[in-house]
């Protein structure tokens, strides 16, 4: 039983999140819109699950995040203005 529940949770993590907005003026319950997670093969929502108002799917621009290609060296961290410490023992650090 545990294997089934963990599998279902892992499937939810990989389902895309879609943004929906009401077709009329902002809703008192939903505001400017809401996010809804469902499988890509499922049809788009036509009505809001909370208030029942007609909604349309909004295209959201993907967020680009920089990727760290290599571990940062101590010298690069110092050049960037960070203070670098070295662990001496469990409770003590010294500045490099």
């Amino acid at each position: 039983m545990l294997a089934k529940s963990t599998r279902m949770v892992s499937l939810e993590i990989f389902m895309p999140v879609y943004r929906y907005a009401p077709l009329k003026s902002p809703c008192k319950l939903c505001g400017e819109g809401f996010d809804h997670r469902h499988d890509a093969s499922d049809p788009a929502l036509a009505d809001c699950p909370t208030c029942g108002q007609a909604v349309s799917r909004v295209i959201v621009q993907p967020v680009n995040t920089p990727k760290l290609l290599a571990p940062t060296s101590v010298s690069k961290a110092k050049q960037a203005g960070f203070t670098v410490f070295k662990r001496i023992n469990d409770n003590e650090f010294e500045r490099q």
Side-chain angles (χ1 to χ4, degrees):
M1 186 70 156
L2 181 62
K4 280 187 177 180
S5 64
T6 55
R7 183 169 183 234
M8 290 189 67
V9 169
S10 65
L11 289 176
E12 276 186 20
I13 293 171
F14 296 112
M15 284 199 296
V17 176
Y18 295 99
R19 179 82 179 152
Y20 288 90
L23 293 178
K24 294 184 181 178
S25 63
C27 176
K28 291 179 182 177
L29 295 174
C30 309
E32 296 292 328
F34 60 93
D35 295 333
H36 184 71
R37 182 182 304 230
H38 60 82
D39 194 16
S41 62
D42 292 344
L45 294 178
D47 301 321
C48 174
T50 305
C51 65
Q53 182 173 309
V55 294
S56 65
R57 193 175 347 187
V58 179
I59 297 174
V60 179
Q61 295 296 326
V63 177
N64 291 327
T65 56
K67 294 181 180 179
L68 187 59
L69 299 177
T72 304
S73 66
V74 172
S75 60
K76 285 186 180 180
K78 285 181 180 179
Q79 288 174 357
F82 290 96
T83 303
V84 180
F85 292 94
K86 180 180 178 182
R87 182 185 298 260
I88 298 173
N89 59 34
D90 289 340
N91 298 325
E92 294 183 23
F93 295 88
E94 82 177 5
R95 183 179 291 197
Q96 285 189 334

